[in-house]
Amino acid sequence: MSESCDLRIGIICYPTYGGSGAVAVDLAAALANRGHEVHVISYASPFRMETSGKLLFHEVAVPEYPLFRYPPYAMALASKLAEVTAHHELQVLHAHYAIPHSMAAFVAREIHGDERIGVLTTLHGTDITLVGSDPSYRPSTAYALRRSDAITAVSEYLKDETLRTICDSCVIGVVPNFVDTVRYAPRERMELRTHYAKDDEPLLMHMSNFRPVKRVLDVVRVFHRVYQDMPARLVMVGDGPERPAAERLVRELELHHRVTFTGAMPDASRLLSQADAFLLPSDGESFGLAALEALSCGVPVVGARAGGLPEVVIDGESGILESVGDCEAMGSRLSEILGNVATRESYRQRARRRVEEHFRTDRVAPRYEDVYRSILERRAHR
Ligand code: GMT
C-alpha cells in the first residue's frame, strides 16, 4: 500500500451526471478519507458531493458580458485554480476530462509561479474519442497531453485510442474506474421492485444519458427478444437525445405495457440492485461505469464487445458480450441465463466477485496516490 497522509490535491471535473464527474467526486471523497486535503473545482457543485473538513468545493464563476458569444470558461477556471492553489498550497492539480481542464491547470501553475506543482490528466473517453479527435480540438488536446506531468486513461482501449489518434509519443498509464461496493451492493428484493415488475417477472434495466453511442434502440430490441421467451419488464433510467426514438420503438413493438422510462435519477443504486440484468449495448464505451455499478450490485451485464467494456465484463462469467448490434444473440443468450435459476445465481455471484477483486475503491485510489507522488518527486528535481 502507498504511504498515506497529507497531500493537497485539486480535482477539476464536470459536475453533471456524466461518468467522469462521478469518478472524480468519488475519488476526491476516497482521497479525503485516506487523509489528504482535497479541493474540487468546477462551475457547479457536483451532484453527489458531500463536503467535509478535508473535502472542499470551489465554484468557478463565469461572468456574462454582451461581447462574449462564448464565455471563456477556461480562463475563469484557470483564475480560480490559481487562487485556490495559492491559498491552499495545492501540490497536484488532477484534471478529469482533458478539455479544457488540463490547459487551465498549466495556466494556473504559471500564474501561481510554482514549478513544483504537478498536473495529472485523466482521460475518460469522449475527451479523446469524440471531442478531442475533432479537428477543432485535436491540436490543443495533443498539446495538453504532451504538457501533462502524467496521463492516465480509464482503460487499455482508451489508452490505445489516444496513442493512435492523438499522441503516439505520450506515456499513458491505465487506472481503471472503481465503485463504492457498499452503496452498490446486492440487496434482497425490495418494495421498490414492485413498482416495475411482479415477483416472477425478470426485470431488465438500462441507465445512461441516451446519447447515440449508447444505442438505446438496441436496448429495446434486446428486451423485445427476451420478451419472446418470458414475461420480462424493462426500466430505462436517464434522459437524452435518443429517448424519443426509443419510446417510439417501444410503441411500435407494442411493448409499452412492459417498459418504463423513469427519466434521470440522481441515485439509482437501490433500483439497480433490484434488476436481473443490465443492458449496455454501446458501440464505443471507453469503460462503462454504469456496467461496473451493475456488477457491483450482483447484476450481470449484457453489452457489445466494443471499446473498454470487455475489460469490465467477462463474457460468459459476469455477463454477455456480443458484436455491436447483434440484439438477437444478446437477447437469446440472456433468456437462457434468466430461464435457469442456478445459472442466474452463478452470474450474480461472479459479477460481484469481479468487482471485489479488481474495482474496489480501496484497490484503485492508492494507484492515483502513487501517480501523484511520482509526479511530485520528478518536479521537485527540476
Ligand atoms: O458517456 C458518458 O456517459 C459520459 C462520459 C463522461 O465523460 O462523463 O463517460 C465517459 O467516462 C466514463 C467515466 O470514466 C466512462 O465510464 C464512460 O465509458 C465514458 N463514455 C464514453 O466513452 C462514451
Side-chain angles (χ1 to χ4, degrees):
M1 196 174 111
S2 351
E3 283 170 60
S4 58
C5 94
D6 77 350
L7 291 173
R8 293 179 303 281
I9 304 156
I11 290 203
I12 311 144
C13 65
Y14 286 106
T16 45
Y17 282 71
S20 62
V23 170
V25 168
D26 286 351
L27 177 63
L31 292 168
N33 279 336
R34 292 171 66 82
H36 306 290
E37 185 182 307
V38 188
H39 298 259
V40 173
I41 301 113
S42 191
Y43 58 79
S45 181
F47 71 99
R48 63 184 191 199
M49 181 176 164
E50 284 175 28
T51 54
S52 67
K54 288 269 188 188
L55 176 57
L56 300 155
F57 172 68
H58 306 268
E59 183 172 325
V60 181
V62 190
E64 296 278 331
Y65 187 65
L67 191 65
F68 296 154
R69 184 161 169 205
Y70 306 105
Y73 174 64
M75 290 187 75
L77 174 61
S79 301
K80 177 56 81 177
L81 280 177
E83 175 198 313
V84 176
T85 302
H87 197 80
H88 296 278
E89 299 178 34
L90 299 188
Q91 297 164 288
V92 180
L93 296 176
H94 186 172
H96 286 264
Y97 209 92
I99 304 169
H101 299 155
S102 314
M103 209 74 104
F106 310 136
V107 175
R109 174 166 63 196
E110 282 187 30
I111 296 171
H112 180 52
D114 184 347
E115 281 296 305
R116 291 169 305 173
I117 293 165
V119 175
L120 166 61
T121 298
T122 289
L123 305 172
H124 281 273
T126 49
D127 45 354
I128 296 299
T129 55
L130 277 180
V131 192
S133 51
D134 186 283
S136 312
Y137 292 113
R138 197 182 167 284
S140 44
T141 303
Y143 173 81
L145 298 192
R146 283 199 305 274
R147 285 217 46 200
S148 295
D149 295 302
I151 309 163
T152 62
V154 296
S155 62
E156 293 288 343
Y157 159 79
L158 184 56
K159 170 183 165 177
D160 293 345
E161 278 302 288
T162 309
L163 294 173
R164 190 176 68 78
T165 59
I166 308 270
C167 177
D168 59 3
S169 60
C170 284
V171 176
I172 304 174
V174 173
V175 179
N177 288 333
F178 54 90
V179 63
D180 177 346
T181 49
V182 176
R183 185 175 354 148
Y184 291 94
R187 290 195 174 88
E188 295 298 311
R189 288 199 166 184
M190 299 158 80
E191 168 74 19
L192 174 67
R193 190 180 191 280
T194 61
H195 300 174
Y196 302 99
K198 296 195 185 117
D199 254 4
D200 55 348
E201 295 174 331
L203 180 61
L204 313 191
M205 189 167 159
H206 171 78
M207 179 172 61
S208 77
N209 48 26
F210 287 57
R211 286 191 317 208
V213 66
K214 308 290 174 185
R215 296 183 69 97
V216 288
L217 301 187
D218 283 4
V219 173
V220 176
R221 291 184 189 113
V222 173
F223 172 71
H224 185 233
R225 174 63 187 82
V226 172
Y227 185 58
Q228 314 294 304
D229 296 334
M230 59 191 70
R233 300 265 183 181
L234 173 65
V235 184
M236 303 281 277
V237 180
D239 217 327
E242 295 290 290
R243 178 172 167 180
E247 288 180 318
R248 242 186 340 267
L249 182 61
V250 164
R251 279 194 299 276
E252 275 163 29
L253 296 172
E254 297 186 359
L255 294 169
H256 42 287
H257 300 303
R258 314 297 302 182
V259 181
T260 309
F261 289 82
T262 65
M265 274 189 190
D267 181 3
S269 56
R270 285 151 65 85
L271 180 55
L272 185 53
S273 73
Q274 300 300 294
D276 296 298
F278 186 78
L279 309 183
L280 192 68
S282 316
D283 61 15
E285 203 69 60
S286 73
F287 184 90
L289 185 63
L292 185 64
E293 292 169 346
L295 296 181
S296 188
C297 293
V299 178
V301 173
V302 180
R305 201 177 297 107
L309 200 62
E311 296 170 50
V312 181
V313 178
I314 305 295
D315 184 31
E317 282 191 19
S318 45
I320 295 168
L321 298 179
E322 288 291 344
S323 305
V324 175
D326 194 345
C327 304
E328 167 61 32
M330 291 179 202
S332 59
R333 285 184 63 197
L334 179 55
S335 273
E336 278 172 34
I337 294 173
L338 295 175
N340 182 309
V341 177
T343 315
R344 192 160 154 172
E345 187 49 34
S346 70
Y347 269 83
R348 285 187 81 82
Q349 287 184 10
R350 287 184 303 224
R352 175 70 182 185
R353 200 177 319 134
R354 170 130 186 89
V355 175
E356 283 175 343
E357 286 173 0
H358 300 280
F359 301 105
R360 264 184 10 209
T361 308
D362 61 341
R363 292 189 192 280
V364 179
R367 294 173 62 177
Y368 279 114
E369 288 173 341
D370 290 344
V371 178
Y372 299 152
R373 290 186 199 287
S374 84
I375 291 175
L376 289 177
E377 206 168 303
R378 271 184 281 135
R379 288 206 76 91
H381 295 114
R382 281 167 74 96

